[in-house]
């Protein structure tokens, strides 16, 4: 057995090795079987071993799944999202993409989902190990399987909000794809994300409250300096000293309620009126929300004109 190629292989693959790799690194099949039988090695997948005993690390498990899937396989979808830091917990199943030119493993493998792709070379990250799709293509893959557009936009918000990529890079990756679900909507949404609309609540505020009712465009995630340091406001109408803050839940723990009150008080010291809206205010009550924002903006000097949206019975008036 040649020690150098063998040790290099184990080091590169987090101590995982496929049976088919044996001849290339100087390990014969019988040696592999003997080490498994003796307990020095362990079987992780069919034809794939960990060259140690004990619990395998996550990276070793991922390498074993890739080796089971075959040459040129890459981590993708939720598992790629895990590797890029788009999700905080390991994905419950390992998701892999393989070239469309060959068939993946025939039998279903527990805990493993395999997709076929005709763009592996383009979407593969140039440096990451274990092999993985680029973050932009990971986002687009997850959008393709998202149950709703809201879920799709959440992936955009995570990727950009966590500074893993930019709206322009996602757009460029999307342009390289012949087929893309929600292409028109995503093009508009990426423009919003580039302008700082980085949460589903902010997206709904822009597309359900602000634009359909002719309100002026606010600054998104506007930074202001308060006595306790820099703070970020969800939607700031700076010219008029009005901001709309968005809360994702109907009720907050007591400490968060006090934090919001302290922030609102600090805004008031700076001459900023704070309006605070919840999820329901951006849903069925979206027109009432627009009317309230328009009324406060007019009191603060806005000379523009709000108008009803296309919803029947919209309460916003042009007066």
């Amino acid at each position: 057995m040649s020690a150098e190629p063998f040790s290099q292989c184990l080091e590169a693959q987090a101590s995982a090795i496929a049976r088919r790799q044996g001849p290339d690194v100087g390990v014969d099949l019988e040696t592999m079987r003997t080490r498994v039988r003796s307990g020095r090695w362990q079987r992780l997948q069919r034809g794939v071993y960990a060259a140690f005993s004990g619990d395998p690390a996550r990276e070793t498990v991922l390498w074993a799944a890739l080796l089971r899937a075959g040459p040129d396989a890459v981590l993708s979808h939720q598992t790629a999202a895990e590797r890029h830091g788009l999700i905080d917990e390991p994905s419950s199943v390992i998701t892999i993409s393989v070239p469309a030119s060959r068939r993946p493993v025939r039998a279903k493998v527990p805990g493993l989902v395999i997709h076929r792709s005709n763009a592996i070379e383009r979407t593969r990250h140039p440096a990451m190990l274990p092999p993985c799709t680029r973050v932009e293509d990971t986002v687009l893959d997850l959008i393709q399987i998202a149950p709703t557009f809201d879920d799709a936009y959440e992936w955009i918000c995570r990727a950009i909000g966590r500074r893993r990529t930019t709206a322009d890079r996602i757009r460029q990756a999307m342009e390289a794809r012949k087929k893309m679900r929600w292409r028109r909507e995503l093009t508009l949404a990426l423009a919003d994300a580039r302008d700082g609309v980085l949460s589903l609540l902010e997206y709904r505020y822009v597309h359900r409250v602000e634009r359909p009712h002719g309100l002026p465009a606010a600054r998104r995630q506007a930074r202001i300096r308060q006595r306790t340091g820099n703070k970020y406001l969800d939607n700031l109408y700076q010219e008029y000293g009005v901001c709309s803050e968005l809360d994702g839940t109907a009720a907050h723990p007591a400490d968060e309620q006090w934090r919001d009150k302290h922030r609102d008080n600090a805004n008031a010291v700076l001459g900023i009126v704070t309006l605070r809206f919840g999820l329901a205010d951006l849903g069925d009550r979206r027109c009432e929300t627009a009317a309230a924002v328009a009324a406060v903006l007019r009191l603060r000097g806005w000379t523009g004109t709000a108008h009803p949206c296309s919803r029947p019975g919209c309460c916003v008036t042009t007066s």
Side-chain angles (χ1 to χ4, degrees):
M1 181 172 67
S2 178
E4 186 173 346
F6 174 64
S7 61
Q8 289 176 348
C9 176
L10 293 184
E11 183 178 359
Q13 298 176 173
S15 296
I17 185 169
R19 190 163 53 202
R20 68 174 184 276
Q21 294 178 300
D24 295 330
V25 298
V27 184
D28 61 81
L29 179 58
E30 186 56 35
T31 297
M32 289 184 172
R33 288 173 174 167
T34 299
R35 293 189 176 188
V36 172
R37 285 195 296 265
S38 68
R40 294 174 61 190
W41 286 16
Q42 58 184 306
R43 179 181 181 272
L44 296 182
Q45 295 280 355
R46 181 179 178 183
V48 182
Y49 310 107
F52 58 85
S53 59
D55 293 334
R58 177 65 170 173
E59 190 165 347
T60 305
V61 172
L62 295 178
W63 267 112
L66 287 167
L67 293 170
R68 174 74 171 93
D72 299 320
V74 297
L75 302 174
S76 64
H77 297 76
Q78 285 87 351
T79 309
E82 170 194 335
R83 300 297 289 178
H84 287 299
L86 303 183
I87 56 178
D88 299 322
E89 299 293 334
S91 52
S92 57
V93 297
I94 297 173
T95 311
I96 289 172
S97 290
V98 300
S101 58
R102 68 173 181 82
R103 298 193 62 83
V105 291
R106 294 181 180 179
K108 288 186 177 181
V109 182
L112 191 63
V113 174
I114 299 179
H115 296 269
R116 298 175 68 193
S117 170
N118 57 11
I120 289 288
E121 291 305 315
R122 188 186 75 240
T123 61
R124 181 198 303 268
H125 193 283
M128 284 187 70
L129 291 175
C132 181
T133 52
R134 297 185 309 152
V135 63
E136 296 82 15
D137 287 290
T138 299
V139 171
L140 295 176
D141 287 342
L142 290 165
I143 286 172
Q144 288 289 78
I145 63 172
T148 68
F149 183 76
D150 284 355
D151 295 296
Y153 193 70
E154 284 280 10
W155 287 116
I156 293 175
C157 294
R158 287 192 186 194
I160 299 174
R162 297 187 180 193
R163 300 182 182 276
R164 299 304 192 269
T165 186
T166 65
D168 287 337
R169 289 177 181 173
I170 296 175
R171 177 184 53 78
Q172 290 168 7
M174 183 172 68
E175 290 173 353
R177 298 192 174 205
K178 293 181 179 180
K179 295 182 179 180
M180 190 67 219
R181 192 180 180 198
W182 294 310
R183 185 181 294 272
R184 179 179 175 277
E185 293 86 347
L186 287 172
T187 300
L188 297 174
L190 286 168
D192 290 330
R194 188 173 55 245
D195 292 337
V197 181
L198 293 179
S199 76
L200 183 57
L201 285 180
E202 291 170 7
Y203 183 84
R204 289 180 177 178
Y205 181 82
V206 171
H207 288 269
R208 294 181 177 184
V209 175
E210 194 176 84
R211 289 181 186 168
H213 297 97
L215 300 178
R219 283 179 56 205
R220 318 298 172 194
Q221 294 302 309
R223 184 175 66 178
I224 62 170
R225 186 178 297 278
Q226 295 180 350
R227 187 174 58 184
T228 55
N230 291 330
K231 303 296 181 183
Y232 292 85
L233 305 181
D234 292 336
N235 302 279
L236 175 62
Y237 301 93
Q238 189 165 4
E239 182 180 353
Y240 310 108
V242 176
C243 76
S244 293
E245 290 290 278
L246 309 176
D247 299 323
T249 56
H252 294 289
D255 59 338
E256 292 190 19
Q257 292 180 22
W258 280 111
R259 183 194 62 192
D260 292 341
K261 290 176 182 178
H262 291 156
R263 180 185 298 175
D264 295 348
N265 292 342
N267 288 344
V269 171
L270 297 175
I272 299 173
V273 175
T274 302
L275 301 174
R276 195 169 290 278
F277 301 110
L279 191 60
D281 298 312
L282 308 180
D284 292 339
R285 295 201 295 267
R286 69 187 77 170
C287 298
E288 290 87 343
T289 298
V293 175
V296 175
L297 286 173
R298 281 194 292 266
L299 288 173
R300 304 283 289 191
W302 180 50
T303 58
T305 303
H307 57 71
C309 68
S310 59
R311 296 180 75 211
C314 178
C315 63
V316 175
T317 64
T318 57
S319 58

